[in-house]
Structure formats: structure tokens, C-alpha cells
Amino acid sequence: MHRLALLATVGFCCLFLLASVQAQEEAENMPALKDAETRQDVYDYLRREAERIRSHIQDDKERARAISNIFFAAGDRLLEIATDDRAMRDAYSLTIQGFLSLTTVEEDAEQKLEKLFDELDEKGYNDVVEHGRFQLFIVKAEKTEPSPEGYSAFLAELKPWINRQIPIHYMVMVGRNLIPRYEVSDEQFFTELLEYVRSEECTLTPNEKASAFFIFEWEIRHAQFAQFYQKALEAEVTPENFDAFKAELKEWLNREFIASSIGSLGIAVAERHGVAAEQFVKELVEFIRSPQCTFPRKDEAVEQLERILRLAVGADPKLYGRTLDDEDFDWQSLRGKYVLLKFTATWCGPCKMEIPGMLEAYEKYRDKGFEIVSIYVWERGDDPVAAVKKSVANDKLPWIILSETLTEKAGQPAQGEFYVAGGVPTMVLVDKEGKVMMMEARGEALQAKLAEIFE
């Protein structure tokens, strides 16, 4: 449990460093860290200060030192108010993050970090130290030469960490972030890790190996599907190519790949070939219901395809729900505007990564006929509505917010279960007539489409 709690902390802290969000002009009105009374208060301070630093400090070295200082301060405050072992571990993890940030600008920071590791080892926080050392390995890997030799060295040092009980999901996240700099494919990287797990050098237990097999094999399959996806999107538009694509896509269903991914890809390719989404999905559903399809969860696959269809290009989402003020949302009132629909959640890291671009687009185009509606789904905790309100206030979101929790309380169906086939964020762009004009409306693709519309 300690290891999982620590990883959650590490992942949360990493978001502070990666996110680039709008400046917080009211920073002087924020509660001081000395007034923090809970673990969550400390995290809120970290997030707000990181946002302010990212917005105001442009120099890389100065920014790294500032980020380091807020982690040190947060770690010290959490140590002061810690009432249980988990909080103590999190406090030390924050201090480690501070030193990790310093390693990019101060030569002796690594030595100071090693000294801290020794002190924590003596106190019995061995798992905190283990994950701290792994993070230090990552920082060093980011500095290595992006060459074949650099990749070989990185891989050779990464493999033994599998034996040191670093969770495989964390390995996957690290690999995805680092291997692009070496120009190595996901398939190659995860195949090499899989081969290591199969070797005698790997000392995991049989059950741990089985879990690693499943995860790495899934990543390999996902990489292969991504290659198939790209090839299909680049292929010449001919009846023969479309027939070949459909045949291979159905085989991916028989390999028990994600039905939502298959449906989203299929609709995108069908659109290129002039085939309506409804027609294409109907054919897929007929195949799923046939004896030729060996996918074991057929009803689930059909349901996911039907959800995709509700947000496919040309669909009319007929969005409904309750706002954070617990009032009915009027979807028809937005006719005449281009609307970005974002199905999101407060606990979703990738959802937060989309916010800076959304804020920029909203500021640039809202007076030209652009609106955003964020629908918070699958919220957790004792008071999901309060959690959403707090998150919206912290992020200073100026657009329309819907709460699935309040929607359900009002007797309406949960929006997540009705619209979202995969995970969050799910983002689509709707035209002035209320029809979906763009699926996967995220990142640079969204910015390009909005520029095409308004500029």
C-alpha cells in the first residue's frame, strides 16, 4: 500500500512539473503554506505555486530552482502536520522531488540527494528511497546522448529495475516518455522488456512474471495497432483498400482488442472513403453478432460502438445535464456557436494537460462564436460536486460546467455511461447546427481546426 500511495504522490507531483497553465493573477490572495492543515492543502499549494512559476519565470535554471524550493517548503510543512506514516512518506517524497529538480542546475544536488537517501534508509523508509533512486535514474536518462549507444545503456540499466519491484505500470509510463528521444518504436522497446522478463536474469515470482507478460504484450499489441491505424489513414482511397482495411479491423476484434479504439479508427477511415459512420458501425455490429466473431464480450463491444456513434462526425449529441449551480442545461441555446465538448474528471491527469490550450482558445475565439462545455463524469469521493467546484475554481475555468453527479440526482442518465466509449478526456468539436464536426478534438489538432474556422 505504501508503494501505491507513493506512486500516486509521485505521479501527482510530476503533473506540476509538466503542466503549463495560465498565470494566476490573484496569487497574492492565495492562502499561505503555513496555514495548510491537511495533506490536500499542501498539494493545492504545490499546484498553484507551480502554475504561477511556470507562467512567470521563463529562465530554465531559475524556474528549476523555484520549483525545487516549493517542493522543499511543501515537504517541510507536511512533516510538521503529518499525523500518520503515509503523510510522512509523502513529505519525504516531496523533498526528494525538490532535490531532483535541483540536479538539473546544481552539480552537488545529486550528492545531497544521496545523503538524504542514506538518512531515510536508516529511518526505515526503504521503499521511498527505492522510488527516489528510480526517479534519479530517469533524470539521468533524460540527460544521456540520444543515440543507439545511449539507448542500449538506458535499456541495460532499466531492465534490472524490474527485479526491484518498481510497478510495471510505472515502467510503461517512463518508457513512453523517454524512448521517443532515442527514435525507438514502442513495439521494439516493449518487446525487449518482454524478452528480459522471460529470461533467467529476471527474478520476479511466477505471478509477477505473468502480470508483466500481460502488460508488455498488451503494449506491443497496442503499438502494432497504432501502426495499422497510421497505415490505414495514409492509404490511397480505393474500394480495394477499404475492403482490406475492414477485413483486418475485424481480425483485431477477434484478437480482443479494445472495441472503442477499433470503432473510432474505423469511423475515421470510413469517413475518408465516403462511408457514413452509421453504415460502418452497423456492419461492425453485424460482424460482432456473427459466428465469425470470437470476441468474448459481444454485448459490451456493441454498446461501446453505439456510444462512439453518438459522438461520431455528423452525429447530434443532444447533450443534457445539470450545471454546478444545479440548474438544467439548455443545449439548444448554443445553436449558432461552435462548441467544444469535453468529458473529463478531476482525477484525470491527461484531462488537466488539455486545460492550457483550452483556455488559450477560449480567450481567442469566445467573442467570435466559440463555447466550451466540460462534463465531469465518473467522479469519486464523499462529495464529488464539491471536488469539481474546487477543481474548477483552482483552474479558473470560465466556461459551462456540467456535473454528472447532479445530473443523476435529477433522475437523468449518467453522461459518462451514455457518451464515453473509452476513457477521459473525450473531446469533440460541434458545429453551429449542433452536429459533431471533429472527433479527437485535442491539442494541436484542435488549435488548427479552430484557426481554420475563425481566422
Side-chain angles (χ1 to χ4, degrees):
M1 292 297 292
H2 291 319
R3 181 175 293 116
L4 292 176
L6 177 63
L7 276 179
T9 300
V10 167
F12 195 39
C13 293
C14 286
L15 285 176
F16 300 144
L17 297 175
L18 293 173
S20 174
V21 296
Q22 226 175 323
Q24 299 266 338
E25 296 178 356
E26 300 84 355
E28 66 274 9
N29 298 321
M30 294 188 305
L33 182 60
K34 64 182 178 61
D35 297 324
E37 297 180 353
T38 67
R39 178 173 173 270
Q40 188 59 50
D41 288 341
V42 172
Y43 286 159
D44 288 343
Y45 159 82
L46 266 174
R47 182 167 176 273
R48 290 192 301 261
E49 279 296 291
E51 291 173 352
R52 183 181 62 80
I53 289 168
R54 296 285 298 189
S55 299
H56 288 82
I57 301 178
Q58 302 303 316
D59 181 77
D60 289 342
K61 291 185 177 180
E62 185 181 350
R63 186 167 60 244
R65 289 191 176 93
I67 289 287
S68 177
N69 287 337
I70 65 171
F71 274 110
F72 287 146
D76 289 344
R77 180 56 183 166
L78 192 51
L79 278 176
E80 292 174 0
I81 63 175
T83 58
D84 55 33
D85 189 58
R86 178 189 178 188
M88 293 285 287
R89 291 170 184 274
D90 287 347
Y92 290 131
S93 297
L94 295 180
T95 302
I96 289 172
Q97 290 288 332
F99 279 116
L100 287 170
S101 183
L102 274 186
T103 60
T104 62
V105 292
E106 294 186 7
E107 292 183 0
D108 63 343
E110 189 175 330
Q111 294 176 337
K112 294 177 181 178
L113 185 54
E114 290 291 350
K115 183 178 179 181
L116 176 61
F117 286 155
D118 291 339
E119 293 174 357
L120 294 180
D121 266 330
E122 291 180 3
K123 292 180 179 181
Y125 293 105
N126 311 96
D127 56 338
V128 177
V129 171
E130 186 79 344
H131 285 84
R133 291 190 186 281
F134 184 66
Q135 288 178 280
L136 180 58
F137 157 65
I138 296 168
V139 170
K140 289 180 177 180
E142 291 172 342
K143 299 177 183 178
T144 59
E145 185 69 22
S147 63
E149 294 76 18
Y151 173 69
S152 296
F154 162 68
L155 192 64
E157 192 170 350
L158 176 66
K159 288 175 180 177
W161 278 101
I162 295 176
N163 298 330
R164 295 170 69 171
Q165 304 299 308
I166 297 296
I168 299 299
H169 288 291
Y170 196 37
M171 290 274 185
V172 169
M173 180 183 70
V174 169
R176 284 177 177 167
N177 288 335
L178 285 177
I179 60 175
R181 68 194 304 272
Y182 298 111
E183 297 184 357
V184 173
S185 70
D186 287 9
E187 183 177 1
Q188 177 183 337
F189 174 72
F190 289 113
T191 297
E192 289 175 312
L193 289 187
L194 184 62
E195 289 173 353
Y196 175 78
V197 173
R198 285 178 173 147
S199 72
E200 294 181 357
E201 297 176 60
C202 182
T203 59
L204 295 178
T205 66
N207 285 340
E208 290 169 339
K209 282 194 174 188
S211 177
F213 288 158
F214 177 82
I215 293 171
F216 290 149
E217 285 175 345
W218 174 258
E219 290 299 326
I220 292 168
R221 234 188 329 170
H222 193 278
Q224 292 170 342
F225 185 77
Q227 293 173 10
F228 165 57
Y229 190 156
Q230 192 61 36
K231 181 181 176 182
L233 290 176
E234 295 173 352
E236 184 181 356
V237 176
T238 66
E240 293 77 18
N241 282 345
F242 189 49
D243 288 342
F245 162 75
K246 288 190 293 183
E248 189 169 352
L249 191 68
K250 291 172 182 177
E251 284 305 309
W252 275 100
L253 265 174
N254 284 340
R255 294 172 67 183
E256 298 185 37
F257 200 70
I258 306 171
S260 59
S261 296
I262 287 173
S264 296
L265 165 64
I267 289 172
V269 175
E271 183 182 357
R272 290 186 68 235
H273 288 264
V275 176
E278 293 87 349
Q279 178 182 337
F280 183 80
V281 168
K282 180 180 179 181
E283 183 176 340
L284 268 187
V285 169
E286 288 176 353
F287 171 74
I288 291 171
R289 296 297 190 196
S290 73
Q292 287 74 36
C293 180
T294 59
F295 191 88
R297 301 176 302 281
K298 295 192 174 190
D299 289 342
E300 175 188 316
V302 170
E303 182 181 354
Q304 287 187 348
L305 291 174
E306 289 174 347
R307 288 189 207 171
I308 292 171
L309 204 54
R310 292 174 188 141
L311 294 179
V313 172
D316 179 355
K318 293 185 172 60
L319 189 64
Y320 59 88
R322 303 284 288 183
T323 68
L324 280 183
D325 296 326
D326 204 9
E327 297 179 351
D328 273 327
F329 167 65
D330 184 3
W331 176 232
Q332 290 301 317
S333 68
L334 297 182
R335 292 296 73 78
K337 293 185 177 182
Y338 290 91
V339 183
L340 175 66
L341 300 183
K342 179 188 182 187
F343 294 86
T344 184
T346 58
W347 46 262
C348 168
C351 298
K352 288 190 176 294
M353 299 295 284
E354 296 293 334
I355 290 176
M358 294 170 64
L359 287 167
E360 179 184 348
Y362 194 72
E363 179 67 23
K364 189 182 297 185
Y365 302 122
R366 63 179 173 180
D367 293 334
K368 297 182 179 181
F370 176 60
E371 187 55 79
I372 298 177
V373 181
S374 287
I375 307 98
Y376 282 80
V377 300
W378 303 332
E379 288 297 329
R380 306 161 180 171
D382 296 331
D383 194 342
V385 177
V388 172
K389 287 182 177 180
K390 184 174 183 179
S391 180
V392 168
N394 286 340
D395 291 327
K396 300 192 184 317
L397 304 186
W399 49 74
I400 300 168
I401 308 293
L402 302 186
S403 164
E404 182 181 64
T405 303
L406 292 175
T407 299
E408 288 188 284
K409 285 183 178 179
Q412 296 175 287
Q415 292 107 318
E417 295 303 313
F418 188 77
Y419 287 110
V420 183
V424 288
T426 291
M427 300 171 64
V428 300
L429 185 63
V430 177
D431 66 18
K432 293 189 290 185
E433 285 71 45
K435 306 289 186 181
V436 175
M437 62 180 298
M438 181 184 184
M439 302 169 68
E440 298 294 328
R442 300 174 58 180
E444 293 182 4
L446 171 63
Q447 300 298 331
K449 176 59 71 173
L450 292 176
E452 177 186 316
I453 293 170
F454 294 111
E455 296 181 4

